[in-house]
Amino acid sequence: MLALRLARGAHPLVQLRRLLVAAASAGTGFLLLCTLGHALAHPDGAAHSVLRLAWCALPLAATVYFAVAVARSDPGTKPRAGLSAVGLGPARLTLLAAISTAIACTLGSMLALLFFLHLRGDLSGLPFDGAARQLLAADEPLPLAAVLTLLTWVPLTASAASALALRPRLAAPVKDTAEPAQPATPPTGLPWGFALLAAGLAVETYAASARGAAGSRLPGGLTGSPTGVLAGWTLTALGLALAGPGLTYLCGRALQSVRPSAVRLLAGRGLQEEARRVGRPLGVVCAVASGAYAAGVLYEEAGPGAGPLATLGAVLVVGCALATLATASFEARQARRHTTEALLRIGAPATALRGAVVLRAGALLAVFGPLTWLIAQLSAAPLTSR
């Protein structure tokens, strides 16, 4: 009940983010139910049904990643003075965040079930009633256990991931406030990120050039893609996500080099402080963009276009990645709000603060833009040369 009251009394922007989580959960739940419909309509094609279910891992991971970002940025889960006295300590707040995430995802799963039943023709009285009867095996009875199992994947996974991300940690030692502001410690994942990135590109190139490699069916009916290529894409995405914070930190350091002005110094320090918060979503967006480009090239080479379910999955992955980046950027802005107010109180011009924002955005675009284009070209090259 407390989680419901906190959700009802939240800021409209917080409510919007929760509704977006519910929408992402609904899309992922619908894709999972469509795999069940395919399995019911094609009882002899169990292998293809399993591959369709495996492809749902991408939108599932994107939805869970976005749900965790929303739970982390929720002001209702932030520890505040006096809450421990009424029994809302860090552990209880973590539980409330997990419950709120489960509620939003469960709402999305219920919407997915209603839409699925409507397209099957089990619910009447609305437009497009039974429009996908053959695709969703309307003549076959739905196994209740399978439906409930598929619909609980997103709420359970998202709530567990939120609880794990927001679990209470040991308090850091309090620094002396009289000391000047010190630059943040650099992230340590940059070498590992580049190592995974190189390994992913190498695996993808070798798998694409190998003759007689085992193939798997991509969404939309595209066949003949070696499974090793998919493994290479996964390693590349993990490498970009791991290297994102380190690259963001280096952008901030580059802005402060060679006799920096006050605006450059402010922008560089801001990027260094926000490297861990914004860098990983930036890396994920780069991975999604490069993967989407490679997949688009592959579809163009093969001929058939992506079907509606593949398009829905792509929209979910791209939308969740962009929404996570926007949420992290807003969270970073809120984190430096007190610094901005302090600078304005001591007479800093507002144009300087806006200039620092433009410098931060320009530095990130100058680094991550060409990197995304390069990874996209390297990922697509082995696929087009087969």
Side-chain angles (χ1 to χ4, degrees), residues 75-90 93:
T77 62
K78 305 293 184 182
R80 294 186 294 273
L83 290 181
S84 297
V86 295
L88 291 178
L93 289 177

Side-chain angles (χ1 to χ4, degrees), residues 43-330:
D44 298 332
H48 291 165
S49 299
V50 171
L51 285 175
R52 285 173 174 261
L53 185 62
W55 272 106
C56 291
L58 290 177
L60 176 62
T63 301
V64 171
Y65 187 57
F66 177 47
V68 171
V70 171
R72 186 183 289 113
S73 63
D74 193 340
T77 62
K78 305 293 184 182
R80 294 186 294 273
L83 290 181
S84 297
V86 295
L88 291 178
R92 185 64 63 87
L93 289 177
T94 300
L95 179 61
L96 290 178
I99 293 176
S100 299
T101 303
I103 291 174
C105 294
T106 302
L107 176 61
S109 297
M110 293 173 61
L111 292 176
L113 178 60
L114 292 177
F115 190 65
F116 178 77
L117 294 177
H118 172 61
L119 291 181
R120 271 174 53 95
D122 296 334
L123 300 178
S124 59
L126 294 175
F128 305 102
D129 180 25
R133 292 180 58 89
Q134 296 182 353
L135 178 64
L136 302 181
D139 297 333
E140 300 291 335
L142 281 178
L144 181 60
V147 171
L148 294 179
T149 300
L150 292 176
L151 290 181
T152 55
W153 276 12
V154 178
L156 289 180
T157 307
S159 58
S162 300
L164 183 63
L166 299 177
R167 67 189 185 277
R169 295 177 175 86
L170 295 177
V174 180
K175 297 182 179 179
D176 187 3
T177 56
E179 295 181 359
Q182 297 295 327
T185 57
T188 59
L190 186 59
W192 292 104
F194 278 119
L196 285 177
L197 182 60
L201 292 175
V203 169
E204 181 183 346
T205 303
Y206 175 78
S209 60
R211 300 296 179 182
S216 59
R217 183 182 296 271
L218 291 174
L222 188 60
T223 59
S225 176
T227 307
V229 173
L230 308 180
W233 282 357
T234 303
L235 289 177
T236 301
L238 290 177
L240 285 172
L242 195 58
L247 290 175
T248 304
Y249 186 90
L250 291 180
C251 288
R253 189 169 183 177
L255 284 177
Q256 302 174 71
S257 61
V258 191
R259 296 181 180 179
S261 62
V263 176
R264 286 172 54 195
L265 187 63
L266 181 61
R269 287 291 176 87
L271 279 182
Q272 287 180 330
E273 292 292 338
E274 299 163 6
R276 290 177 173 84
R277 181 182 287 115
V278 179
R280 185 163 287 113
L282 268 175
V284 171
V285 169
C286 290
V288 170
S290 60
Y293 176 82
V297 170
L298 188 58
Y299 277 117
E300 185 178 356
E301 290 286 333
L309 296 183
T311 303
L312 175 59
V315 169
L316 281 173
V317 173
V318 175
C320 288
L322 294 177
T324 303
L325 178 59
T327 301
S329 301
F330 180 80

